[in-house]
Every structure is written in structure tokens, then in C-alpha cells.
């Protein structure tokens, strides 16, 4: 598998863990003390880091750090929107679309040299 595909796959998986670590407690642990939610979130975040760190190391071999960061942000939004709608039962908002379009602009500017030489 190409390094960029490995990077993207690992970042998607790490973002799933990250999203649950950051926001899952809002649904599952609302009545628990915040310290318990923080400790559970740290435990989940460990798995996120075990995927994210190798993803960044592999990705940094084939794209620059700015491109890697924008890629991460696009993946974050791509994971967060379905999570918030399907898991947290938040309503869909057009703001998700506008944010996504802004990120596409950021992707264009970060990757334009690579795409167009």
C-alpha cells in the first residue's frame, strides 16, 4: 500500500478514537464527575496516539508538514460530522457544508504546487 494511503487510513482510524475521546462522554457520561470522563477520554486517546504518531511519521516522508496538517483537518471534519449527526443525534447544519468548502480551499492552496507543479 502506498505511504499516503497508509497515512490516510491511520489518520481516519485515529480520528475515530479522538472524536470518541473528545465528545463521546457528552452522551455516555453526562451524569458522571468530569474527572471520570477525563480519565476515560485519556484512555481512549492513547489508542488515537498509537495510530496518529505513526501516521504522521509515514506521511511526513511523502508530503510536507503543512499538507499533513490540512489532511488531518479534512479527515477530522469528515469523521466529526457523521459522528455528531449519527451518534450524538445533533441536527445537520449547513455550517458543516460551509466549513467543508473552506477546508477544500485550504487543501487546494496547500497541495496546488504538488498538483500543478
Amino acid at each position: 500500500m502506498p505511504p499516503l494511503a497508509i497515512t490516510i487510513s491511520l489518520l481516519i482510524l485515529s480520528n475515530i478514537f479522538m472524536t470518541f475521546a473528545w465528545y463521546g462522554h457528552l452522551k455516555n457520561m453526562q451524569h458522571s464527575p468530569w474527572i471520570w470522563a477525563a480519565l476515560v477520554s485519556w484512555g481512549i486517546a492513547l489508542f488515537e496516539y498509537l495510530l496518529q504518531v505513526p501516521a504522521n511519521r509515514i506521511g511526513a516522508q511523502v508530503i510536507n508538514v503543512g499538507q499533513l496538517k490540512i489532511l488531518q483537518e479534512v479527515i477530522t471534519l469528515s469523521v466529526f460530522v457523521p459522528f455528531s449527526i449519527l451518534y450524538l443525534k445533533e441536527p445537520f447544519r449547513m455550517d458543516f457544508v460551509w466549513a467543508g468548502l473552506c477546508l477544500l480551499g485550504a487543501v487546494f492552496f496547500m497541495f496546488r504546487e504538488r498538483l500543478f507543479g
Side-chain angles (χ1 to χ4, degrees), residues 94-107:
M94 282 303 293
D95 291 341
F96 294 144
V97 174
W98 308 135
L101 289 173
C102 289
L103 278 175
L104 286 179
V107 168

Side-chain angles (χ1 to χ4, degrees), residues 6-79:
I6 293 169
T7 299
I8 292 169
S9 299
L10 289 172
L11 287 175
I12 290 169
L13 292 171
S14 78
N15 266 276
I16 292 169
F17 281 106
M18 178 194 73
T19 303
F20 272 97
W22 284 15
Y23 302 103
H25 62 87
L26 296 175
K27 179 177 181 178
N28 298 324
M29 301 184 76
Q30 285 183 336
H31 302 294
S32 300
W34 73 266
I35 190 70
W36 290 116
L39 292 172
V40 169
S41 293
W42 281 349
I44 295 169
L46 170 64
F47 294 102
E48 186 257 333
Y49 278 99
L50 292 173
L51 296 167
Q52 181 263 345
V53 170
N56 283 340
R57 287 182 173 220
I58 293 166
Q61 295 174 11
V62 293
I63 58 177
N64 68 47
V65 177
Q67 292 169 333
L68 191 57
K69 180 60 180 169
I70 289 299
L71 181 62
Q72 168 70 29
E73 295 304 327
V74 169
I75 290 169
T76 297
L77 188 62
S78 300
V79 169

